[in-house]
Amino acid sequence: MQGDEKNGGKIEFTFRSETGDIKGQMVMQVTELTPDKNVRWQCVDGPPEWIGTNITFDLSQQEDQTIIIFGHRNWRESIEFTAHCSMKWAIFLLSLREYVETGKGKPSPQDVKIDNWN
Amino acid sequence: MQGDEKNGGKIEFTFRSETGDIKGQMVMQVTELTPDKNVRWQCVDGPPEWIGTNITFDLSQQEDQTIIIFGHRNWRESIEFTAHCSMKWAIFLLSLREYVETGKGKPSPQDVKIDNWN
């Protein structure tokens, strides 16, 4: 992962296999960034199905918990790849919580595998 | 969970807290059941947002893996409860895999908690 995480900046994500081969790349443009409140990205490069989609993290504090409402919206159609990505987002959000709570998450390629696409 | 899992039957799911209090109940009607291929349910009772929605499990074998494409479709609108349920479905699908692979899953109320709604 590299880039400029500030509003208007672009962030590039690269997924590699355990042997280092590039398996996927996507570029997000930051369209909103309000600390402790929300982050919104628009996908500007990557898998064709992702380009133009929006990724949102909306944070709120409810009692002693931080609640994240996550969305990956505006897919042109719901396909098998959407199901794959949806489940992988869940895996990465669980990893994010583990990271925040323990200091150690499971980023790719140590992420939990869910199918034969990764 | 109790009921008739065959095509046309109704299955009732009850979620309880660890102390036994009922936290949620929903009734699914089985609209399709093809062993090793698919299961489709329509929600006929439960949270108002769920009634009329469709839950689908489509199975296929790809090399040595069984791939499940899961869907919970036809929500009237995407709300915070949708986000909650989406993440909980991911949790239960991971539990289902654990159950199939090891004989032991994490059914409610031993399921992984994700927010202040459970």
Side-chain angles (χ1 to χ4, degrees):
Chain A
M1 199 193 82
Q2 57 178 20
D4 172 10
E5 82 287 0
K6 289 191 288 295
N7 199 351
K10 286 184 184 171
I11 314 173
E12 182 177 274
F13 295 84
T14 303
F15 289 85
R16 293 176 188 273
S17 69
E18 297 198 18
T19 53
D21 301 323
I22 292 179
K23 295 172 60 193
Q25 260 178 328
M26 44 273 283
V27 179
M28 302 293 167
Q29 180 145 33
V30 181
T31 57
E32 202 170 333
L33 177 67
T34 310
D36 300 331
K37 200 162 166 217
N38 64 38
V39 180
R40 292 173 190 270
W41 296 335
Q42 179 159 50
C43 182
V44 293
D45 201 5
E49 299 90 343
W50 275 46
I51 296 175
T53 59
N54 300 98
I55 290 160
T56 57
F57 302 81
D58 289 289
L59 280 67
S60 64
Q61 188 169 349
Q62 295 179 16
E63 293 167 21
D64 60 346
Q65 296 187 55
T66 298
I67 303 293
I68 299 182
I69 304 291
F70 171 81
H72 184 182
R73 298 191 172 85
N74 303 328
W75 285 69
R76 276 188 300 274
E77 51 181 345
S78 176
I79 53 178
E80 183 166 342
F81 185 46
T82 322
H84 166 85
C85 295
S86 182
M87 190 69 188
K88 288 304 292 193
W89 279 119
I91 297 286
F92 286 119
L93 287 165
L94 290 169
S95 166
L96 176 63
R97 177 168 77 175
E98 203 178 324
Y99 175 72
V100 169
E101 291 181 352
T102 73
K104 199 167 157 25
K106 292 194 188 76
S108 170
Q110 289 87 43
D111 52 329
V112 174
K113 305 309 180 192
I114 57 163
D115 54 29
N116 52 0
W117 288 7
N118 61 67
Chain B
M1 198 193 84
Q2 56 177 20
D4 172 9
E5 82 287 0
K6 289 190 287 296
N7 199 351
K10 285 184 183 171
I11 314 172
E12 183 177 273
F13 296 84
T14 303
F15 289 86
R16 293 176 187 273
S17 70
E18 297 198 20
T19 54
D21 301 324
I22 292 180
K23 295 172 60 192
Q25 260 178 329
M26 44 273 282
V27 179
M28 302 292 166
Q29 180 145 32
V30 182
T31 57
E32 200 169 332
L33 178 67
T34 311
D36 300 332
K37 202 163 165 213
N38 63 39
V39 180
R40 292 172 190 270
W41 296 335
Q42 181 160 49
C43 182
V44 293
D45 201 4
E49 300 90 341
W50 275 47
I51 296 175
T53 60
N54 301 97
I55 290 160
T56 56
F57 302 80
D58 289 289
L59 281 66
S60 63
Q61 187 168 349
Q62 294 178 17
E63 293 167 20
D64 60 345
Q65 295 187 55
T66 299
I67 303 293
I68 298 182
I69 304 292
F70 171 82
H72 185 182
R73 298 191 173 84
N74 303 327
W75 285 71
R76 277 188 300 274
E77 52 181 343
S78 175
I79 54 179
E80 184 166 343
F81 185 47
T82 322
H84 167 85
C85 295
S86 182
M87 191 68 188
K88 288 304 292 193
W89 279 119
I91 297 286
F92 286 119
L93 287 165
L94 289 169
S95 165
L96 175 62
R97 177 167 77 174
E98 204 178 325
Y99 175 71
V100 169
E101 292 181 352
T102 72
K104 198 167 159 27
K106 292 194 188 75
S108 170
Q110 290 87 42
D111 52 329
V112 174
K113 305 308 181 193
I114 57 163
D115 54 31
N116 51 1
W117 289 6
N118 63 67

